[in-house]
Amino acid sequence: MKYIYFITLLVLASATFGSAQFDNISDGCKNKLTALLGDQNINACFPFTAITPLVSNTGSMPSQDALKKAADAICGLPKCSDSLVSQTQTDVKSACQADITAKNPIATLVDVVLTLYSPTRDSICFKNSTGGYCFIESQAATQQVLQSAPKGQDPTLTFAGAPKEAVCTPCNKAIVNTYLNFQKTNPNAFSDIKEITPQDIDNAKSALTGKCGPNFIDGQVGDSTESLDKFQSQSANQKSDAMYLIANRMSFVALVGTILATI
């Protein structure tokens, strides 16, 4: 099973969408999705053309350089308005409901991306203390943690033993709180994503609190550009109990700033 972050999902899904042939999809849904690609209002705030080259024949994760170029294009345009995203999702659901119910990959992916567009777009554009993109930093750190773990080890145990400086970072705090704040104001946001349950989210909160201290998910995005040393020194006195990570086994581990999604 292949996991990627929601934060990277927006980039990859949009690239896939921009180059898709729309096979095995109803005519009504195909027409609607094709129309979206040419919609001037959407293209004014989301660069389909600029990120389409991310799609590769191998389906492998794009390089950091490719992700940076995609993020530059996304963050270089104004954010799509809530009203535009909401109306677009309503139109997609109306035209593609049968395809979404049948779990057509393209239709489902577009629906999920529209649902989580706002916090994902915000998180893509967070920068770290060196001017790099937070989500690229977090992705690289997570891959390193996973690759250094014993083969077949439960991810929960892997992250329980991960260095605190790889998990409890200003970037991850900004991303985590952005998603959780969105969930608070949009409690049904994850209801259509069947792989993630409310219990998974609660477990993720407990895990991050145990690893990083109670102030890590306090609802404050904070300053993602703050240096790691300064951030760590400020949180040094917070209680950190890695056993939370073991006690709260998660089917989807929310580490490095977001909950994992499966496609």
Side-chain angles (χ1 to χ4, degrees):
M1 186 178 293
K2 180 182 178 182
Y3 295 98
I4 60 173
Y5 305 113
F6 277 134
I7 196 168
T8 310
L9 179 61
L10 178 63
V11 178
L12 296 180
S14 302
T16 302
F17 178 35
S19 63
Q21 298 301 311
F22 300 136
D23 294 332
N24 302 315
I25 201 168
S26 67
D27 288 341
C29 186
K30 182 187 301 183
N31 292 338
K32 172 52 64 178
L33 297 183
T34 300
L36 289 183
L37 293 175
D39 189 293
Q40 291 185 346
N41 290 327
I42 293 176
N43 278 277
C45 59
F46 197 85
F48 282 117
T49 302
I51 62 177
T52 297
L54 284 179
V55 177
S56 66
N57 293 328
T58 61
S60 60
M61 184 68 70
S63 67
Q64 289 189 8
D65 183 61
L67 289 174
K68 179 184 180 301
K69 289 179 180 178
D72 285 342
I74 291 171
C75 302
L77 293 178
K79 183 179 179 180
C80 297
S81 67
D82 290 343
S83 59
L84 176 61
V85 174
S86 177
Q87 184 59 57
T88 300
Q89 185 170 30
T90 297
D91 293 344
V92 168
K93 281 186 176 292
S94 177
C96 302
Q97 188 57 63
D99 304 271
I100 294 172
T101 301
K103 298 182 179 180
N104 175 274
I106 292 293
T108 301
L109 203 57
V110 171
D111 186 44
V112 171
V113 166
L114 288 170
T115 297
L116 298 177
Y117 167 78
S118 181
T120 302
R121 195 273 183 188
D122 289 345
S123 296
I124 284 175
C125 298
F126 286 136
K127 294 288 190 71
N128 60 22
S129 60
T130 63
Y133 285 104
C134 279
F135 81 100
I136 296 177
E137 171 196 295
S138 298
Q139 180 195 63
T142 298
Q143 288 180 335
Q144 185 174 9
V145 169
L146 290 173
Q147 289 171 359
S148 64
K151 186 176 181 180
Q153 185 179 62
D154 188 306
T156 305
L157 296 177
T158 299
F159 284 109
K164 188 175 180 180
E165 59 268 21
V167 179
C168 311
T169 68
C171 277
N172 289 343
K173 176 176 170 58
I175 296 171
V176 167
N177 283 286
T178 294
Y179 275 99
L180 293 181
N181 289 343
F182 179 78
Q183 186 209 11
K184 287 179 182 178
T185 56
N186 300 271
N188 296 322
F190 291 91
S191 61
D192 291 336
I193 306 173
K194 305 304 181 184
E195 294 84 1
I196 297 177
T197 68
Q199 187 61 53
D200 291 325
I201 296 173
D202 288 341
N203 287 345
K205 291 179 181 178
S206 295
L208 287 167
T209 297
K211 185 72 175 179
C212 304
N215 291 343
F216 193 75
I217 52 172
D218 57 2
Q220 301 298 314
V221 172
D223 180 8
S224 65
T225 65
E226 186 176 37
S227 72
L228 181 59
D229 288 343
K230 181 179 179 181
F231 182 80
Q232 293 288 348
S233 66
Q234 290 175 341
S235 61
N237 294 325
Q238 294 184 37
K239 179 182 177 182
S240 178
D241 185 0
M243 289 305 294
Y244 270 111
L245 288 167
I246 299 174
N248 293 284
R249 296 174 60 85
M250 296 177 289
S251 57
F252 290 82
V253 182
L255 246 290
V256 299
T258 188
I259 301 167
L260 294 174
T262 180
I263 58 172

